[in-house]
Amino acid sequence: MTREALTPAQAAARWLARDDLGQSPQREQFAAWLEESQENRDAWIQAQRMWDVFDDADDSDLIAAMARAARKAGPEPAAKPFWSRLVAASIAVAAVSATLFFGAQQGWFDHAAKPTQVAVNEAASLTAVGRADYVTGGEQRSIVDLPDGTRVTLDADSAVDVAFAGGRRDVRLLKGHAFFDVAHDSARPFAVQAAGRVVTALGTQFDVRLTSGALRVVLAEGSVLVSSPSEGPSSPPIRLSPGQAFSTQPGGEGEVTPANLDEALAWKQGVVEFRDQPLSEAVGLLNRYTRAQIVIRDPKVGALRITGVFKTGDIRRFGRSVSQVLPVRMIARDADTYELVSTRR
């Protein structure tokens, strides 16, 4: 099959779709692409300028879905030919470019975000177990660069305690949700403690979420072992492969299931994806990102199922979108409270 070349503008759009430009080997590949020609550099500058062209739009949920489709058509991993796959035939290049530029302007892609570190106090220690070293508020996500080169992306309302000492790299996820892009160090395994489990890795990428004592670990790349702490009840460690998830409820043994990585990691791009989930669960997740809250008092409304991709931080838009596909409408109860009610009589 003849490999078709991308124009500099098309390639720039593809790079805008990437959310891993700070990682290797993507970082080196992107730098090499910039060095290839002045046309590439000009295309990248033009792409960045385009961010300011697109204002907020009522159909951003659709645009978010298109952006996800474009990301799926992005460059293959380094193990395969770098430009071996083109934009999906069903998506016009112009539409893809516009979608990606809009997404970048809206902050869906975090590749250009400057790492933000939020410490609980000025004397936060990264060498001892104690108080949380990094926290995020209810409407905040943060990227933390640890001393070993590991990058941690904290979701809203999350906290971690970092303890790097004695040849160990230990982190405790105290609450919330975090994605770990671990720097490889064979002499010092990287361990994350959460909900009575320990997730151990050498150099890999994985996602850990705590919800009311329940734990979910999703492996994106590499390999991890999920085990019980040495002082607790012993059980054989569980090894995950990329695309697998380990989930457990409080007091449960846990199970390994296949995971949809696009769905599990969508939060890093400022969107969430629901697949046939109860509306009550979807609302519970979206409420974590905003001061204003959605409430559901009718159990029948809460039991309705929702599928779709939605931008976080805008519950009014979510209300408008969901009312188009489900028999519900959203009513403002006060300045910070909205209720989803049934439209059925």
Side-chain angles (χ1 to χ4, degrees), residues 55 69 84-85 174 289 308:
D55 295 322
S84 64
R85 188 161 50 136
L174 303 177
Y289 296 90

Side-chain angles (χ1 to χ4, degrees), residues 4-277:
E4 185 178 347
L6 295 178
T7 68
Q10 292 168 341
R14 292 275 290 275
W15 282 118
L16 276 176
R18 301 298 295 254
D19 61 358
D20 55 3
L21 291 190
Q23 304 168 15
S24 182
Q26 290 80 10
R27 178 177 59 246
E28 291 78 12
Q29 292 169 344
F30 174 63
W33 176 77
L34 286 177
E35 289 295 325
E36 283 178 2
S37 67
Q38 184 61 45
E39 288 78 11
N40 288 354
R41 293 188 288 274
D42 290 342
W44 180 248
I45 293 172
Q46 182 63 27
Q48 293 178 307
R49 288 174 179 169
M50 287 292 291
W51 294 357
D52 296 330
V53 173
F54 294 89
D55 295 322
D56 197 13
D58 289 338
D59 61 346
S60 66
D61 295 332
L62 173 61
I63 293 175
M66 291 174 63
R68 289 186 60 257
R71 288 197 299 275
K72 289 181 180 179
E76 291 281 352
K80 298 181 181 180
F82 184 49
W83 294 115
S84 64
R85 188 161 50 136
L86 298 177
V87 175
S90 61
I91 305 176
V93 170
V96 172
S97 300
T99 294
L100 303 183
F101 294 145
F102 180 89
Q105 193 266 341
Q106 291 298 310
W108 294 349
F109 312 116
D110 293 333
H111 64 269
K114 181 179 180 180
T116 302
Q117 300 186 358
V118 184
V120 172
N121 54 61
E122 295 182 358
S125 171
L126 301 184
T127 60
V129 175
R131 298 176 60 185
D133 295 312
Y134 300 103
V135 298
T136 53
E139 301 179 45
Q140 178 187 29
R141 284 186 294 125
S142 180
I143 298 175
V144 177
D145 287 322
L146 298 182
D148 67 328
T150 293
R151 172 163 286 192
V152 181
T153 305
L154 284 177
D155 202 356
D157 193 24
S158 302
V160 294
D161 176 22
V162 179
F164 283 12
R168 296 180 56 85
R169 296 185 293 169
D170 293 326
V171 174
R172 290 190 302 153
L173 178 62
L174 303 177
K175 66 173 182 176
H177 188 190
F179 180 84
F180 298 89
D181 184 1
V182 180
H184 182 81
D185 186 343
S186 58
R188 297 190 303 161
F190 188 96
V192 177
Q193 296 186 33
R197 302 280 177 162
V198 179
V199 184
T200 305
L202 290 176
T204 187
Q205 298 177 0
F206 59 96
D207 191 78
V208 183
R209 181 193 291 272
L210 280 174
T211 308
S212 301
L215 172 69
R216 179 174 168 84
V217 179
V218 177
L219 180 62
E221 182 179 298
S223 179
V224 298
L225 289 177
V226 183
S227 60
S228 300
S230 57
E231 64 270 16
S234 61
S235 59
I238 297 172
R239 182 180 295 274
L240 296 183
S241 299
Q244 288 186 325
F246 173 83
S247 304
T248 182
Q249 298 294 324
E253 294 185 359
E255 63 175 345
V256 177
T257 58
N260 182 302
L261 294 182
D262 285 336
E263 178 182 345
L265 305 180
W267 67 274
K268 293 181 62 190
Q269 284 84 46
V271 297
V272 290
E273 180 176 356
F274 305 116
R275 294 194 178 192
D276 194 34
Q277 291 179 241

Side-chain angles (χ1 to χ4, degrees), residues 329-341:
R329 63 190 177 99
M330 195 163 74
I331 300 174
R333 295 304 186 189
D334 56 47
D336 290 325
T337 306
Y338 298 83
E339 183 178 359
L340 284 174
V341 299

